Amino acid sequence: MWAASCLASCCAACACDACRTVVSGISRRSARIAYCGLFALSLIVSWILREVAAPLMEKLPWINHFHKTPDREWFETDAVLRVSLGNFIFFTVLSVMMVGVKNQKDPRDGIHHGGWMMKVICWCILVIFMFFLPNEIISFYESISKFGAGLFLLVQVVLLLDFVHGWNDTWVGYDEQFWYVALLVVSLVCYLATFVFSGLLFHWFTPSGHDCGLNTFFIVMTLIFVFVFAVVVLHPTVGGSILPASVISMYCMYLCYSGLASEPRDYECNGLHKHAKAVSTGTMTIGLLTTVLSVVYSAVRAGSSTTLLSPPSSPRAGSEKPLLPLDGKAEEKEDKEKSKPVTYSYAFFHIIFSLASMYSAMLLTGWSTSVGESGRLVDVGWPSVWVRIVTGWATAALYIWSLVAPILFPDREF
């Protein structure tokens, strides 16, 4: 018995050491992927608790202290918000800790890239602790999450603008006829998709026999933005490229569709209401997948952008330094003698995940207002509609500003 106990203890210790070695090895190679994986785990936990935690939460006196027990949907929303709050606090604390990290000799660089066993344990403790907080704190977090989620969408807009301008500059920089033709073809495809999409929106969301003036206004406004983009870009004073304009036009039309599709299913002008039950599970799956992909994209862009998000001292992406130096010992010695700057802002990187935690909570709860109206449908309700529509308008305003700002303020660098 004693020998078996010792053997079991040794096996457990070896297993823990093996897990710790694997986790630390992965984190050294790509901490960003590991953080994205942790965020994806938080979404999975939120989804599971949304489905199964309500009966247990109804029995907790510090949560269910009402004279009349709320509907099941209230507890589902509360569970999602509590997991989101734990996730938000975790990444916000990391962001505050990473403020001012400029080189890899900073001890906090090791905290950012390592210590994953402790990070996962802290994350679990935070999430569990959130279920012991009073409802008033969760209600306050729900209120500020709406603003944080909108800010996350605006951050994505800035990253998209940075991406399309960089894409255009890269292809133009080749200065070859093939790439100019490629620019033209991609632009035409994007514009064709934009106008075809707008026709489908008129067909789906402005059915005959109903007064759908609001939906018509949303679609027409988006088309006006598309026209303004083309006019401003082709103006001789601006001298812009048609590729960014076409991509932003298509994205604005997508945001318009996303907003209209989020209208309540019982709204007579929502052409998707007939398929509400059919798309319920699919909407949830697509919504979660889109959120994960959006956060991964934002995190990667935060780690690679050298114009907006990285500290001034960071080396530019694609430098001439080889990825695998021939003289490993000499390179290692040089790294020890010279402090290497960080390649992206760690603080901003974690802020993206903090805002994404709020956004995912709003996505899973229908912006905390439509759960009772729409059952288990995700991202449905008028708050979601207006957030998407206003985000599209903000995208248009930021893009136009990026075109005219260098002309209005020629002495400033944009």
Side-chain angles (χ1 to χ4, degrees):
M1 181 66 69
W2 178 81
S5 178
C6 290
L7 180 61
S9 299
C10 291
C11 291
C14 292
C16 291
D17 289 339
C19 292
R20 183 166 55 250
T21 301
V22 171
V23 171
S24 62
I26 293 175
S27 65
R28 282 196 299 269
R29 287 168 175 79
S30 182
R32 284 176 285 175
I33 294 178
Y35 283 115
C36 291
L38 183 59
F39 180 81
L41 176 62
S42 72
L43 287 182
I44 295 173
V45 172
S46 297
W47 191 355
I48 293 175
L49 293 181
R50 183 179 186 266
E51 301 299 318
V52 304
L56 177 60
M57 295 177 64
E58 291 179 4
K59 300 177 182 179
L60 299 178
W62 60 87
I63 294 180
N64 187 11
H65 56 73
F66 306 100
H67 295 293
K68 181 181 179 181
T69 301
D71 296 336
R72 179 185 177 89
E73 288 81 1
W74 185 90
F75 292 100
E76 294 175 347
T77 298
D78 194 68
V80 172
L81 289 172
R82 289 175 186 272
V83 175
S84 173
L85 178 56
N87 216 36
F88 170 79
I89 294 176
F90 176 79
F91 285 109
T92 301
V93 169
L94 283 176
S95 177
V96 173
M97 290 175 61
M98 297 300 149
V99 171
V101 177
K102 297 181 179 180
N103 59 72
Q104 297 182 12
K105 285 189 175 181
D106 193 310
R108 292 174 293 175
D109 181 83
I111 298 177
H112 174 75
H113 290 94
W116 279 97
M117 291 296 292
M118 183 58 66
K119 287 178 185 176
V120 172
I121 292 174
C122 291
W123 178 83
C124 292
I125 293 175
L126 271 175
V127 171
I128 294 173
F129 178 71
M130 295 302 106
F131 285 85
F132 292 91
L133 295 179
N135 293 333
E136 290 75 13
I137 296 179
I138 306 303
S139 178
F140 175 74
Y141 175 71
E142 174 189 346
S143 301
I144 65 175
S145 290
K146 293 180 174 64
F147 298 97
L151 185 58
F152 172 73
L153 292 175
L154 290 179
V155 169
Q156 285 189 307
V157 170
V158 175
L159 293 171
L160 177 63
L161 291 173
D162 181 44
F163 169 75
V164 294
H165 283 299
W167 178 12
N168 179 79
D169 293 342
T170 299
W171 283 16
V172 171
Y174 293 140
D175 196 19
E176 297 179 3
Q177 183 177 1
F178 172 81
W179 295 106
Y180 288 123
V181 174
L183 281 172
L184 179 61
V185 171
V186 173
S187 300
L188 292 177
V189 169
C190 289
Y191 272 121
L192 179 62
T194 299
F195 289 113
V196 170
F197 206 11
S198 65
L200 293 175
L201 295 188
F202 278 113
H203 175 70
W204 289 336
F205 299 103
T206 59
S208 59
H210 300 286
D211 183 13
C212 302
L214 182 61
N215 288 0
T216 302
F217 170 73
F218 289 155
I219 301 172
V220 171
M221 277 295 298
T222 306
L223 287 174
I224 291 175
F225 285 135
V226 172
F227 177 75
V228 171
F229 295 160
V231 171
V232 173
V233 164
L234 296 177
H235 195 278
T237 306
V238 175
S241 174
I242 201 67
L243 174 63
S246 63
V247 174
I248 297 298
S249 297
M250 187 171 62
Y251 180 69
C252 287
M253 192 60 68
Y254 164 75
L255 288 177
C256 182
Y257 159 76
S258 180
L260 296 176
S262 297
E263 292 175 338
R265 297 310 187 200
D266 57 357
Y267 183 48
E268 59 185 9
C269 294
N270 186 350
L272 302 180
H273 72 282
K274 297 180 181 179
H275 309 286
K277 295 182 179 179
V279 302
S280 177
T281 303
T283 303
M284 177 180 290
T285 303
I286 294 175
L288 288 175
L289 181 61
T290 302
T291 301
V292 173
L293 293 177
S294 298
V295 174
V296 170
Y297 167 77
S298 301
V300 171
R301 290 297 298 169
S304 60
S305 174
T306 57
T307 58
L308 295 175
L309 310 175
S310 299
S313 59
S314 62
R316 293 190 61 86
S319 62
E320 296 181 358
K321 181 181 178 179
L323 296 177
L324 297 175
L326 297 178
D327 190 354
K329 294 183 178 180
E331 183 68 22
E332 182 178 357
K333 183 178 180 180
E334 180 182 352
D335 290 344
K336 290 181 179 180
E337 294 176 351
K338 183 179 179 181
S339 178
K340 296 172 62 177
V342 298
T343 56
Y344 59 96
S345 172
Y346 297 163
F348 186 83
F349 176 82
H350 291 295
I351 280 293
I352 286 182
F353 283 99
S354 298
L355 298 177
S357 300
M358 293 181 170
Y359 175 74
S360 62
M362 295 296 99
L363 179 69
L364 282 169
T365 61
W367 296 82
S368 302
T369 60
S370 62
V371 177
E373 302 172 7
S374 306
R376 295 182 179 276
L377 292 173
V378 174
D379 201 18
V380 174
W382 286 111
S384 180
V385 173
W386 282 104
V387 167
R388 301 307 177 99
I389 295 298
V390 172
T391 300
W393 295 347
T395 302
L398 286 173
Y399 177 62
I400 294 175
W401 174 254
S402 70
L403 295 175
V404 302
I407 300 174
L408 298 177
F409 304 97
D411 297 332
R412 297 185 60 182
E413 182 179 355
F414 291 92

